[in-house]
Amino acid sequence: MHHEKGFRRLPLSVKIIFVVLTLGMISSFFYINYIAQSGYPLLWITLSGTNAIIALFALNFLCTLLLLFGIWQRAAWTWEYGMLYFGFFALNGIISAGSLFNTLYFAPMQNFEALVNLFAVIFGIILNSIFLIIIYRKRFYFENEWRF
């Protein structure tokens, strides 16, 4: 089965993923300074400074750009890469949420920033999990062979 390339012929759920990923990739440039100062949680460690900026660029820009390219081209590897991509970010969120729970102590209102970060991480886990399911369900949409 051959599908036309580009945005117009994408199923609605994949269009939503495409738009959210694009906006997320663009918005990641607006919080480079925040990430450099507060850190970038990567699995069980928190990167800071230049390492955090490099991780932000690699994961939030390059990896996302590769997934967007695969979606646009209807590449056969896209659904597998999407599963890996969204699975990684969901797992990273789960680990980050565990770290944030440790910072809340017994007086949560004194840790308002940690609560906001925890809400953002939980929202990210849910969103990545939904996108993971969508990509899996739409796996047959992508071509069997991919060529430039």
Side-chain angles (χ1 to χ4, degrees):
M1 176 190 273
H2 178 73
H3 296 282
E4 292 181 35
K5 296 174 184 173
F7 188 75
R8 294 185 79 183
R9 302 293 181 191
L10 288 173
L12 179 61
S13 57
V14 179
K15 280 183 183 179
I16 292 169
I17 291 173
F18 193 92
V19 169
V20 169
L21 287 176
T22 303
L23 292 175
M25 182 178 66
I26 292 168
S27 70
S28 66
F29 290 111
F30 293 109
Y31 55 88
I32 289 176
N33 288 335
Y34 175 77
I35 291 295
Q37 292 174 0
S38 65
Y40 188 91
L42 186 62
L43 299 176
W44 290 273
I45 59 172
T46 300
L47 303 173
S48 60
T50 306
N51 292 333
I53 294 171
I54 291 170
L56 175 74
F57 181 75
L59 294 173
N60 291 40
F61 184 75
L62 294 178
C63 291
T64 305
L65 196 60
L66 181 62
L67 182 57
L68 291 172
F69 177 77
I71 291 171
W72 189 271
Q73 293 292 324
R74 313 297 190 273
W77 51 264
T78 302
W79 78 271
E80 293 169 330
Y81 179 73
M83 296 282 293
L84 180 69
Y85 178 90
F86 294 122
F88 171 79
F89 279 106
L91 176 65
N92 193 41
I94 291 167
I95 293 168
S96 296
S99 299
L100 285 171
F101 276 128
N102 291 336
T103 63
L104 289 178
Y105 305 112
F106 295 106
M109 292 313 293
Q110 294 177 355
N111 298 305
F112 183 72
E113 183 180 345
L115 281 173
V116 170
N117 287 338
L118 184 62
F119 174 77
V121 167
I122 291 171
F123 180 76
I125 293 167
I126 293 168
L127 194 63
N128 281 305
S129 300
I130 290 170
F131 287 171
L132 186 118
I133 292 167
I134 291 170
I135 286 291
Y136 180 74
R137 288 184 154 193
K138 297 295 180 182
R139 69 188 181 278
F140 299 114
Y141 179 74
F142 298 100
E143 293 178 346
N144 292 330
E145 290 187 36
W146 178 75
R147 294 178 176 81
F148 275 105

